[in-house]
Amino acid sequence: MSERYGLVHISTGDILRLAVQEGSALGRRVQSILDEGALVPDDLMIELIRERIDRPDCEKGYVLDGFPRTLGQAEALETIYEDLGEDVPRVLLFDVNSDVLAQRLTSRRGREARSDDAEAVQLERLRVYQRDTAPLVSYYEERGLLDRVDGCGNIEEVSARIARVVHS
Ligand code: AMP
């Protein structure tokens, strides 16, 4: 999406992993949280996003990837947009059934050395998703902001579905 539409890609997971690699103060604070598959506290994440989307490169638009992940983050994001006088964002939900999800996680374990891809941590992350993030589906649905995209299939297939949603 970022290539096709010229948007800045903001992945909170990438930002946090980089901070851990660099050994910055943020990285030292979040390392064990990432390793456990837990969520970084809302206040920290909200500040990180507020600061990031205020940078000049975001003026032409951006994609948030991995944020918001809790109702608290979603509410804070709404306030940030009100403060900035920005339009209400669109939200894409990539629907992937649990078999495909398990296959993807297993194959990523072979490719990337992510400490949180260990099997036990993956299970914890799925649990955290169900508990903290899944409620965002109805939150955005009720506000008429949610578009569902079938996330099964290869990159080209999913990209074509995204394009249909974006141009609708
Ligand atoms: P991801 O790369 O999006 O799978 O994120 C990897 C890890 O970073 C997550 O398991 C969390 O520990 C942390 N993380 C990323 N985004 C968030 C967020 N919005 N809120 C809290 N923790 C986050």
Side-chain angles (χ1 to χ4, degrees):
M1 283 190 75
S2 96
E3 277 171 29
R4 186 182 288 211
Y5 304 107
L7 305 170
V8 178
H9 175 208
I10 302 176
S11 155
T12 43
D14 283 352
I15 294 172
L16 296 170
R17 279 185 291 277
L18 186 68
V20 170
Q21 262 176 32
E22 288 175 341
S24 67
L26 172 68
R28 288 195 301 276
R29 184 148 173 218
V30 301
Q31 175 153 29
S32 62
I33 300 176
L34 263 66
D35 287 345
E36 287 163 15
L39 291 181
V40 172
D42 279 355
D43 53 348
L44 229 167
M45 292 309 302
I46 291 161
E47 260 332 286
L48 191 148
I49 281 294
R50 185 190 289 278
E51 185 273 324
R52 181 64 191 88
I53 63 182
D54 204 24
R55 288 201 218 151
D57 63 341
C58 285
E59 268 167 25
K60 288 199 195 119
Y62 51 87
V63 189
L64 293 179
D65 170 5
F67 186 96
R69 252 177 161 99
T70 66
L71 281 173
Q73 291 179 14
E75 284 161 4
L77 193 60
E78 229 167 76
T79 309
I80 292 174
Y81 286 127
E82 275 167 25
D83 291 350
L84 295 175
E86 283 191 18
D87 288 345
V88 178
R90 295 178 72 167
V91 181
L92 299 186
L93 170 69
F94 293 98
D95 247 331
V96 181
N97 67 46
S98 50
D99 287 347
V100 172
L101 198 57
Q103 279 165 19
R104 286 187 185 169
L105 291 175
T106 306
S107 91
R108 191 170 70 185
R109 211 178 301 150
R111 284 196 316 270
E112 295 174 30
R114 269 180 65 163
S115 57
D116 60 351
D117 273 343
E119 206 167 350
V121 184
Q122 280 183 5
L123 290 175
E124 174 61 9
R125 288 165 62 208
L126 288 173
R127 215 177 54 81
V128 168
Y129 173 83
Q130 288 304 337
R131 189 190 62 204
D132 296 329
T133 307
L136 295 185
V137 176
S138 49
Y139 177 90
Y140 283 117
E141 226 157 29
E142 281 159 16
R143 285 161 175 73
L145 297 175
L146 191 81
D147 282 305
R148 284 172 190 269
V149 174
D150 177 3
C152 295
N154 61 33
I155 291 174
E156 288 71 31
E157 289 163 335
V158 179
S159 300
R161 292 182 201 128
I162 294 172
R164 278 200 288 279
V165 166
V166 170
H167 295 297
S168 66

